[in-house]
Amino acid sequence: MAIFHDVPRAVKERLATAERVAVLTGAGISAESGVPTFRGAEGLWKNFRPEELATPEAFEREPVTVWEWYDWRRGKVAPCQPNAGHQALVAMEKRVADFTLITQNVDGLHRLAGSTDPVELHGDIWLTRCTGCGAVAEDRTVPLEPIPPKCRCGAMLRPHIVWFGESLDMKKLGRAQQAAGDSDVFLVVGTSSVVWPAAGLSEVAAMSGATIIEINVEETPLTPMADVTLLGPAGYHLPRVVERCWPS
Ligand code: OAD
């Protein structure tokens, strides 16, 4: 473990020559765009923890409360634009031969920035899924009216998001695990590294011999395992990493 406040030579040497790079992002990369993180004080909604609301059980018990939380998050995300961190990953993708972006975020900001085909492990906040007929549809209405929203078939809609206790899309998880295992460098940005199976991707990468580089404003459970941790905002570090490794 080594903690830095600026891009060290080791990062430059490893990343600039890497043929395969996989990146895992979490809510922290969107924080500078104005999207609240989940575990920071600002991310709390009415003092609920995400583990209390993002579950099928909570939805069954209190669909209105769960939808009100998502309506609040959708309202926060709607005006947000990608920031320098998202854009640096678009630039990195253009410079690395084999590049995979994996995100836990449901805000769509990587795609909006121009990243090609990110693996969105946890879904998309702008998609709904019918609890009756299973239809998936885009709905960008903010605020939602009525809550809970209904499908044309009459059944209740739910957010098309993977909740705690639910399985991830196996195709997406497989693609993420493959990319992590194949990577020369695994870059982990703005995630508390506590939610599985996403957090396990770093282990997959490390066990396959990848160099683990973390960017976060604070130390996390991953920090002791990371080869390098760059402490500070993603919007500060990521553009510098790209400029250092591939000077324009
Ligand atoms: P968290 O809210 O758990 O963690 C956000 C991380 O970002 C923390 O480690 C912060 O220190 C860090 N951070 C904050 N601002 C930052 C910045 N400007 N630059 C870099 N890092 C910064 O979010 P996730 O780890 O993404 O799941 O949470 C994982 C999952 O838990 C989410 O996908 C969500 C949640 O329940 C679902 O919605 C299914």
Side-chain angles (χ1 to χ4, degrees), residues 25-29 31-32 37-40 50 54 69-70 104-106 122 161-164 189-195 215-218 220 232-235:
T25 66
I29 194 166
E32 290 156 82
T37 59
F38 291 93
R39 291 174 180 78
W69 179 52
Y70 278 102
Q104 298 165 87
N105 298 345
V106 296
H122 291 166
I161 285 182
V162 183
W163 284 332
F164 290 96
V189 185
T191 174
S192 52
S193 287
V194 296
V195 174
I215 298 180
N216 202 302
V217 290
E218 59 187 27
T220 72

Side-chain angles (χ1 to χ4, degrees), residues 106-191:
V106 296
D107 56 33
L109 291 183
H110 284 302
R111 270 182 289 118
L112 199 56
S115 286
T116 316
D117 199 20
V119 185
E120 294 177 313
L121 283 178
H122 291 166
D124 181 338
I125 201 161
W126 301 114
L127 296 181
T128 61
R129 185 166 82 244
C130 180
T131 57
C133 68
V136 173
E138 182 173 298
D139 181 350
R140 291 187 170 259
T141 320
V142 176
L144 279 164
E145 171 66 38
I147 288 182
K150 296 267 170 60
C151 179
R152 279 203 203 121
C153 79
M156 208 188 321
L157 296 172
R158 59 162 281 177
H160 190 42
I161 285 182
V162 183
W163 284 332
F164 290 96
E166 295 183 324
S167 303
L168 268 64
D169 178 322
M170 290 317 282
K171 261 200 210 149
K172 289 184 185 180
L173 183 59
R175 214 183 128 203
Q177 283 169 332
Q178 179 90 42
D182 287 349
S183 64
D184 305 319
V185 173
F186 193 66
L187 181 58
V188 185
V189 185
T191 174

Side-chain angles (χ1 to χ4, degrees), residues 5 40 50 72 93 202:
H5 296 273
W72 174 78
E93 174 180 338
S202 304

